[in-house]
């Protein structure tokens, strides 16, 4: 039977192929590439231990020291990333308060990065936390920087920012946030920024609502960032089948006169919490609540360790999805009951997220069969779908890789 089916397969050229009266049209879906979560969260991350590039009053420690001193751990299945909040320091002679800066060993390009956070560092004087991406292979700012979550001191609203080399401008259209600056080129550390208008997007307000999800979509045309509070996370994100086209307007839409592919190259994902430095320290006097506590940011951070007990991240997961082309089929005259597909392993199927993944289940397109179609129907249309890795499908079809499933579009 299998030999006969292979003989009936049409020749495929590029991404489109015609099978008698049916044409396969390319479609894309986001497919999971990497997921950092649970007890294994810190696998695949590097611990930065050099001087802070932003001149903060901080001492970044390695993984061993971070574990020994309680700066990283697993709490109820979530990753805890904190800072030292017990040591009183000398503002002049100390290298700074111990903290953690980690970055993924692997770098990414066009992708969908989703982070689910139960907690982030609170709105605390002297703090400067960030969840961001940075080029692993290009000098800054030539390879670009994407600041997904960032703020300082007692901020309560998230500020998303891009930093690039010259000639990258955004127009601020199609976003729910407020455009602060539109030139992404680095000028005294600035870039193009969008402020989230919601006070639950950062710091104390974020934590009061048990956090939420940040999603960053990076394509060759734009970089978009969404924030979903815990009570409003889209079902497709929870299901692991994210579809940004259904999420509505993003908080920030970085799009305009900017060649994304040139300005953003090979990014690692980064978490850090620094203190004072080029932003939090330089604007200290612009925060009256903070400047009333100490003459300088460094003085306050050195002398008030207990203030930073809430300066921690609690991360459910960080997931990276990439787009894959998935054949879709339209037809003009071939009867639905004669359109069949097969795949050689449980990890590949025509359209992840839209069709069932177990033999015998029905769905919007049809249903899977554990046995091949009758010989009589194979003469109409048979094609073999490329294997597409999908963890959900692999788990749902609990069978050996030698089993072949057949899809019949008979709805």
């Amino acid at each position: 039977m299998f030999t006969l089916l292979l003989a009936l397969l049409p020749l495929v050229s590029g991404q489109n192929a015609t099978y008698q009266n049916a044409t396969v049209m390319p479609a894309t879906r986001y497919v999971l590439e990497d997921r950092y979560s649970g007890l294994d969260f810190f696998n695949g991350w590097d611990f930065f231990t050099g001087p802070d590039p932003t001149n903060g009053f901080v001492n970044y420690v390695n993984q061993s020291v971070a574990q020994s001193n309680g700066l990283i751990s697993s709490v109820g299945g979530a990753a805890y990333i904190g800072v030292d909040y017990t040591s009183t320091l000398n503002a002049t002679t100390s290298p700074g308060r111990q903290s953690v800066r980690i970055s993924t060993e692997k770098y990414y390009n066009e992708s969908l990065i989703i982070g689910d956070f139960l907690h982030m560092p609170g709105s605390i004087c002297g703090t400067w936390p960030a969840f961001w991406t940075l080029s692993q292979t290009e000098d800054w700012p030539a390879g670009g920087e994407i600041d997904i979550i960032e703020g300082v001191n007692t901020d309560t609203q998230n500020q998303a920012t891009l930093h690039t080399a010259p000639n990258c401008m955004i127009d601020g259209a199609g976003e729910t946030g407020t455009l602060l600056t539109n030139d992404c080129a680095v000028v005294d550390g600035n870039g193009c920024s969008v402020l989230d208008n919601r006070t639950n997007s950062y710091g104390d307000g974020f934590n009061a609502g048990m956090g939420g999800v940040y999603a960053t979509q990076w394509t060759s045309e734009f970089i978009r960032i969404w924030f979903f509070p815990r009570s409003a996370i889209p079902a497709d994100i929870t299901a692991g089948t994210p579809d940004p086209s259904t999420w509505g307007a993003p908080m920030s839409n970085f799009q305009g006169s900017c060649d994304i592919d040139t300005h953003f190259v090979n990014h690692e994902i980064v978490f850090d919490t620094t203190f004072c430095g080029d932003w939090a320290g330089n604007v200290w006097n612009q925060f009256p609540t903070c400047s009333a506590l100490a003459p300088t940011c460094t003085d306050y951070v050195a002398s008030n360790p207990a203030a930073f007990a809430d300066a921690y991240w609690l991360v459910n997961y960080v997931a990276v999805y990439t787009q894959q082309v998935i054949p879709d089929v339209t037809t003009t005259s071939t009867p639905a009951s004669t359109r069949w597909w097969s795949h050689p392993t449980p990890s590949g199927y025509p359209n992840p997220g839209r069709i069932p993944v177990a033999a015998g289940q029905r769905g919007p397109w049809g249903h899977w069969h554990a046995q091949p179609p009758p010989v009589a129907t194979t003469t109409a249309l048979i094609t073999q779908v490329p294997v597409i890795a999908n963890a959900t499908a692999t788990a749902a079809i609990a069978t050996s890789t030698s089993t072949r499933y057949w899809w019949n579009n008979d709805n």
Side-chain angles (χ1 to χ4, degrees):
M1 173 65 73
F2 186 58
T3 303
L4 170 61
L5 297 181
L6 289 179
L8 292 171
L9 292 178
L11 294 175
V12 179
S13 176
Q15 294 181 344
N16 297 337
T18 301
Y19 307 92
Q20 297 181 5
N21 294 322
T23 301
V24 175
M25 302 299 293
T28 60
R29 296 291 185 271
Y30 278 105
V31 177
L32 183 66
E33 180 167 338
D34 291 301
R35 181 182 173 97
Y36 305 91
S37 63
L39 296 175
D40 296 326
F41 178 88
F42 293 104
N43 292 345
W45 298 80
D46 290 321
F47 283 69
F48 177 82
T49 58
D52 182 14
T54 61
N55 302 304
F57 183 66
V58 65
N59 178 18
Y60 289 125
V61 298
N62 63 34
Q63 185 169 4
S64 176
V65 173
Q67 288 175 328
S68 298
N69 294 352
L71 274 58
I72 62 170
S73 63
S74 179
V75 179
Y80 171 91
I81 309 170
V83 304
D84 166 36
Y85 58 89
T86 61
S87 304
T88 299
L89 308 173
N90 185 304
T92 303
T93 61
S94 172
R97 187 162 298 283
Q98 285 191 355
S99 182
V100 173
R101 171 172 164 168
I102 57 173
S103 58
T104 53
E105 296 173 356
K106 184 176 179 179
Y107 62 72
Y108 303 92
N109 286 289
E110 293 177 19
S111 54
L112 178 64
I113 301 171
I114 297 180
D116 185 320
F117 310 97
L118 288 167
H119 189 278
M120 68 165 292
S123 304
I124 305 168
C125 292
T127 57
W128 178 2
F131 173 62
W132 51 300
T133 72
L134 176 72
S135 179
Q136 194 178 90
T137 60
E138 307 298 318
D139 291 336
W140 188 86
E145 175 181 330
I146 306 171
D147 297 324
I148 301 168
I149 305 176
E150 190 176 28
V152 296
N153 297 323
T154 57
D155 278 345
T156 58
Q157 297 164 264
N158 184 49
Q159 183 170 317
T161 305
L162 302 186
H163 297 281
T164 70
N167 301 314
C168 179
M169 305 283 289
I170 61 169
D171 56 29
E175 60 190 22
T176 63
T178 298
L179 180 67
L180 301 179
T181 52
N182 70 338
D183 187 350
C184 305
V186 172
V187 179
D188 296 329
N190 295 327
C192 52
S193 297
V194 178
L195 184 70
D196 196 317
N197 298 316
R198 298 164 292 180
T199 56
N200 63 350
S201 62
Y202 181 90
D204 290 348
F206 181 89
N207 298 333
M210 295 186 67
V213 164
Y214 270 89
T216 303
Q217 185 184 22
W218 167 7
T219 75
S220 61
E221 297 178 358
F222 54 75
I223 295 172
R224 292 173 177 165
I225 298 173
W226 287 262
F227 166 60
F228 301 107
R230 179 67 53 197
S231 60
I233 300 172
D236 59 337
I237 290 180
T238 303
T241 56
D243 182 1
S245 68
T246 67
W247 296 346
M251 182 278 289
S252 56
N253 181 29
F254 294 107
Q255 186 171 15
S257 179
C258 182
D259 185 338
I260 300 294
D261 290 342
T262 298
H263 287 287
F264 297 89
V265 180
N266 300 339
H267 278 214
E268 59 190 19
I269 302 169
V270 185
F271 282 96
D272 79 86
T273 302
T274 188
F275 302 96
C276 306
D278 295 339
W279 188 6
N282 286 352
V283 298
W284 181 254
N285 291 327
Q286 297 176 26
F287 290 80
T289 302
C290 297
S291 59
L293 298 174
T296 69
C297 180
T298 300
D299 288 334
Y300 180 75
V301 172
S303 302
N304 295 276
F308 305 104
D310 202 43
Y312 66 89
W313 299 90
L314 199 57
V315 186
N316 275 333
Y317 69 83
V318 173
V320 182
Y321 295 83
T322 52
Q323 284 189 318
Q324 290 193 4
V325 174
I326 303 166
D328 201 348
V329 175
T330 59
T331 185
T332 56
S333 61
T334 304
S337 61
T338 64
R339 295 198 300 278
W340 294 81
W341 293 265
S342 75
H343 65 80
T345 75
S347 61
Y349 53 99
N351 196 333
R354 285 190 55 194
I355 62 176
V357 293
Q361 280 190 304
R362 295 184 63 84
W365 282 11
H367 67 277
W368 289 105
H369 300 266
Q371 300 298 324
V375 176
T377 65
T378 63
T379 57
L381 172 65
I382 300 174
T383 181
Q384 190 174 9
V385 176
V387 174
I388 300 170
N390 184 287
T392 301
T394 302
I397 305 178
T399 185
S400 69
T401 56
S402 62
T403 300
R404 299 187 67 83
Y405 280 82
W406 297 83
W407 174 257
N408 177 215
N409 189 2
D410 58 1
N411 271 17

